[in-house]
């Protein structure tokens, strides 16, 4: 009987882990396997069912406060959306943002056991290994090309930024301990990251590890991780110096530093200026959620200023920005003060905090509010009390 219950627990935890993985990363499957079914909605629905059935009560006043702030922010977005644009433009974006915010609410209730998180962690690591192997293999076959077409898009390339996220998550979760196998896996994932050439993930990964080292330097100094780090750097340095793996990354950094007119940075500078223009023209309620592309590009599509706070300011005004900042302050306060005695801080705080820090840094330069599922789901995980 005990084994039956144990098997049931493992199966349920595995379903939870897969559900959250699909909810966060579904869009990155399509390029490799050509499967276009929206698994993210299925994952979201299963998480919601688990959150409802578990009946797991979070005795955490800070979580309820943060959830209230987030709900208030969503209501304000709806209000500013209706007032500013009379219900135009943002229907799809509001639906996506609702899923993003709801992910913050249901993940702490759905993930009520440490096994749920462990299986999710291993699933991310396996995905990072799979994608890294696929990228390296397809590169050898010539199936990946980072040559841009006339419109500035890569001709035969995957979603390099999204895939870089998964690779970074895998690296962060792999370095909880070190052995020879993990050393080789880290080298393969790092090689794939260099091949993809995403500047932001490389920079923010380094900053995240700097933060992690500062918070847990005693543990790192007591292990042989420095030996592995030194060996890895030497091997990677030799490997990339004799191949073209860093060619894309070097060219993108060079373009950003020396030829800004032909780099993505110039486009971001225009977006920053557009966002500030929107804030000046409508400082209280903004131009309305989802309005950035229509107002500044004449396109009712996926447009944003590549900065989470600028996007919120431009589309929801100073009031929306204030409410969101209250949510951030409430969340940080609960982590630094209220969460010190919880089990999650003892066992998993550096892992999840590292994931959260990386995604937050990325939110300051890439993607829109409706695309930051990982940011809010990882924030929700920080409130979980694992049994």
């Amino acid at each position: 009987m005990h084994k039956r219950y144990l098997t049931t627990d493992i199966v349920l935890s595995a379903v939870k882990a897969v559900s959250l993985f699909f909810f966060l990363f579904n869009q990155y499957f399509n390029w490799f396997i050509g499967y276009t079914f929206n698994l993210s909605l299925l994952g979201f629905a299963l998480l919601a069912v688990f959150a409802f059935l578990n009946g797991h009560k979070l005795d955490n006043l800070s979580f309820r406060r943060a959830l209230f702030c987030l709900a208030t922010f969503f209501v304000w977005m709806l209000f500013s959306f209706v007032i500013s644009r009379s219900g135009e433009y943002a229907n799809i974006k509001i639906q996506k943002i609702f899923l993003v915010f709801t992910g913050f609410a249901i993940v702490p209730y759905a993930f009520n056991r440490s096994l749920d998180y462990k299986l999710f962690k291993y699933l991310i690591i396996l995905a990072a290994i799979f994608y890294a192997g696929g990228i390296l293999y397809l590169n050898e076959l010539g199936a990946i090309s980072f040559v841009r077409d006339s419109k500035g898009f890569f001709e035969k390339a995957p979603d390099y930024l999204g895939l870089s996220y998964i690779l970074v998550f895998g690296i962060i979760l792999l370095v909880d301990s070190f052995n020879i196998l993990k050393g080789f896996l880290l080298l393969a994932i790092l090689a794939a990251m260099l091949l993809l050439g995403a500047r932001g993930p490389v920079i923010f990964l380094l900053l995240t590890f700097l933060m992690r080292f500062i918070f847990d330097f005693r543990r790192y100094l007591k292990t042989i991780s420095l030996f592995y780090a030194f060996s890895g750097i030497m091997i990677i340095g030799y490997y990339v110096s004799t191949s073209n793996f860093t060619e894309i990354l070097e060219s993108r950094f060079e373009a950003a530093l020396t030829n800004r007119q032909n780099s993505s940075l110039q486009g971001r500078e225009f977006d920053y200026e557009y966002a500030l223009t929107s804030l000046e023209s409508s400082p209280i309620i903004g131009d309305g959620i989802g309005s950035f592309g229509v107002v500044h590009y004449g396109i009712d599509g996926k447009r944003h200023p590549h900065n989470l706070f600028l996007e919120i300011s431009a589309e929801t005004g100073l009031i929306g920005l204030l409410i969101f900042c209250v949510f951030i302050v409430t969340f940080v306060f609960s982590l630094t003060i209220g969460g010190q005695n919880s089990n999650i801080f003892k066992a998993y705080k550096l892992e999840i905090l590292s994931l959260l820090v990386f995604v937050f840094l990325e939110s300051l330069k890439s993607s829109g509010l409706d695309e930051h599922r990982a940011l809010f789901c990882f924030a929700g995980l920080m409130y979980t009390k694992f049994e």
Side-chain angles (χ1 to χ4, degrees):
M1 185 67 67
H2 178 71
K3 290 183 178 180
R4 180 181 300 176
Y5 285 131
L6 180 61
T7 303
T8 302
D9 288 343
I10 294 175
V11 171
L12 290 177
S13 294
V15 173
K16 293 179 187 179
V18 172
S19 299
L20 182 55
F21 187 86
F22 282 163
F23 178 57
L24 294 180
F25 306 121
N26 168 71
Q27 62 268 38
Y28 308 140
F29 291 154
N30 297 343
W31 192 83
F32 274 105
I33 61 179
Y35 192 59
T36 58
F37 181 73
N38 194 343
L39 293 173
S40 62
L41 290 179
L42 175 61
F44 174 83
L46 289 174
L47 289 173
V49 170
F50 280 117
F52 177 78
L53 294 179
N54 277 336
H56 182 67
K57 302 300 182 182
L58 283 175
D59 185 18
N60 191 320
L61 180 60
S62 296
F63 173 71
R64 293 196 292 271
R65 288 172 177 170
L67 193 58
F68 175 78
C69 292
L70 207 55
T72 304
F73 179 55
F74 185 76
V75 171
W76 174 257
M77 283 194 302
L78 292 177
F79 174 77
S80 66
F81 160 61
V82 173
I83 295 299
S84 299
R85 293 291 161 188
S86 301
E88 285 185 278
Y89 309 140
N91 293 316
I92 298 299
K93 186 169 185 178
I94 284 180
Q95 293 173 23
K96 290 183 177 180
I97 291 175
F98 175 76
L99 291 179
V100 170
F101 289 178
T102 308
F104 172 82
I106 66 175
V107 164
Y109 289 97
F111 274 60
N112 63 319
R113 297 180 180 180
S114 59
L115 183 60
D116 302 338
Y117 171 73
K118 288 180 180 178
L119 291 180
F120 175 64
K121 168 185 172 178
Y122 296 144
L123 191 57
I124 292 181
I125 292 174
L126 288 175
I129 295 171
F130 168 77
Y131 283 126
I135 291 168
L136 297 176
Y137 177 71
L138 292 174
N139 179 64
E140 292 296 324
L141 295 180
I144 296 179
S145 172
F146 291 93
V147 177
R148 294 182 183 269
D149 59 21
S150 58
K151 295 182 180 180
F153 296 102
F154 293 128
E155 292 180 349
K156 295 188 298 180
D159 179 355
Y160 74 100
L161 187 60
L163 291 178
S164 295
Y165 289 174
I166 297 183
L167 298 179
V168 168
F169 296 158
I171 292 172
I172 290 174
L173 295 174
L174 268 173
V175 296
D176 59 339
S177 61
F178 289 87
N179 55 48
I180 295 177
L181 176 60
K182 286 186 176 182
F184 281 113
L185 294 177
L186 284 171
L187 291 178
I189 297 175
L190 284 171
M193 274 195 65
L194 294 174
L195 178 63
L196 290 176
R199 295 166 299 196
V202 172
I203 296 174
F204 296 142
L205 177 64
L206 294 176
L207 292 177
T208 301
F209 272 110
L210 178 61
M211 179 276 303
R212 190 164 177 170
F213 181 79
I214 293 173
F215 275 90
D216 203 22
F217 68 95
R218 293 181 180 178
R219 175 189 171 196
Y220 280 90
L221 290 178
K222 289 180 180 179
T223 65
I224 59 172
S225 60
L226 292 178
F227 169 77
Y228 282 109
F230 176 78
S231 301
I233 291 173
M234 295 296 292
I235 294 173
I236 292 176
Y238 174 78
Y239 184 67
V240 301
S241 65
T242 57
S243 68
N244 64 343
F245 266 57
T246 58
E247 182 178 344
I248 302 300
L249 186 63
E250 291 173 359
S251 64
R252 299 196 72 218
F253 271 112
E254 183 180 0
L257 295 174
T258 63
N259 190 12
R260 299 176 68 87
Q261 291 184 348
N262 292 327
S263 73
S264 60
L265 292 184
Q266 186 185 43
R268 286 191 171 95
E269 290 175 356
F270 289 144
D271 287 335
Y272 297 160
E273 293 175 1
Y274 293 155
L276 294 176
T277 300
S278 292
L279 184 59
E280 291 176 0
S281 63
S282 183
I284 304 301
I285 62 175
D287 286 334
I289 193 71
S291 61
F292 188 83
V294 178
V295 173
H296 300 292
Y297 288 93
I299 300 173
D300 183 11
K302 183 180 175 182
R303 289 287 186 176
H304 49 77
H306 295 277
N307 182 285
L308 187 61
F309 293 96
L310 283 178
E311 179 182 8
I312 291 172
S313 301
E315 297 189 346
T316 66
L318 293 177
I319 294 180
L321 179 63
L322 177 62
I323 298 173
F324 185 75
C325 288
V326 170
F327 163 75
I328 296 294
V329 171
T330 303
F331 174 72
V332 173
F333 178 81
S334 66
L335 294 188
T336 56
I337 304 298
Q340 294 297 329
N341 296 323
S342 67
N343 292 330
I344 188 173
F345 261 76
K346 296 177 182 178
Y348 305 110
K349 66 173 182 179
L350 276 181
E351 285 185 356
I352 303 180
L353 188 59
S354 298
L355 296 173
L356 189 58
V357 166
F358 171 79
V359 179
F360 178 75
L361 291 173
E362 273 292 329
S363 74
L364 302 180
K365 70 163 284 292
S366 296
S367 303
L369 180 61
D370 57 318
E371 299 172 294
H372 283 299
R373 298 179 185 181
L375 178 64
F376 291 94
C377 283
F378 291 152
L381 277 176
M382 295 301 294
Y383 284 105
T384 306
K385 288 187 177 180
F386 294 140
E387 294 177 355

